[in-house]
Amino acid sequence: MSKYERYIEGVNNGTIVVGNLMKKCVKRFCELRAREDIEFKAKKVQRVIDFYALLRHFKGKTAGKPFVLEPWQEFIIAYIFGLHKNGKRLVRNVYIEMARKQGKTAFAAGLALYSAF
């Protein structure tokens, strides 16, 4: 089971404490994934996650070390890149909001780099 699937399971059963909006986000993701007309492509998600493993931190104590995604970051990637309808990604525009010091810039840079290639 992947980290994002464990994250979804943890949010749904209450072992991972999240805010109301994240609970709704996970619920919607599960509903979309269960629909007949929407296909979830786990290989595409894994490809993006593997791409992040190629990236390296360039600053601070983690400089030179690979970028390791947290489960909630993998969930965001699964939501963006995993859901497909009629051969196209379902999620085309994204608004991601997170607290200070959570790695917004590095995470967004990885998404931009992957999308550019």
Side-chain angles (χ1 to χ4, degrees):
M1 182 182 280
S2 64
K3 286 197 288 187
Y4 65 85
E5 288 171 342
R6 285 193 303 268
Y7 180 79
I8 292 166
E9 186 178 298
V11 170
N12 284 333
N13 68 24
T15 57
I16 297 176
V17 179
V18 296
N20 220 13
L21 291 175
M22 196 58 173
K23 285 179 189 175
K24 288 180 181 182
C25 184
V26 169
K27 182 181 176 191
R28 179 162 165 77
F29 176 79
C30 292
E31 289 170 356
L32 287 171
R33 195 160 78 165
R35 282 180 38 182
E36 294 286 325
D37 61 330
I38 294 176
E39 181 183 2
F40 181 73
K41 297 186 178 182
K43 286 183 180 180
K44 297 223 180 214
V45 174
Q46 192 57 49
R47 197 167 159 187
V48 179
I49 292 169
D50 292 343
F51 177 78
Y52 267 92
L54 299 173
L55 303 178
R56 302 278 183 249
H57 289 278
F58 65 93
K59 207 165 142 181
K61 347 176 221 187
T62 57
K65 294 182 181 171
F67 194 88
V68 179
L69 292 169
E70 295 290 325
W72 59 270
Q73 291 172 317
E74 284 193 12
F75 168 72
I76 292 171
I77 288 172
Y79 205 125
I80 296 169
F81 293 98
L83 300 171
H84 291 259
K85 185 174 182 178
N86 300 327
K88 295 182 181 178
R89 268 194 8 240
L90 184 67
V91 179
R92 311 286 289 194
N93 297 305
V94 180
Y95 173 77
I96 301 171
E97 186 175 310
M98 58 182 89
R100 294 184 70 234
K101 300 296 179 184
Q102 295 294 311
K104 287 185 287 289
T105 304
F107 186 64
L111 289 174
L113 284 169
Y114 183 80
S115 297
F117 293 109

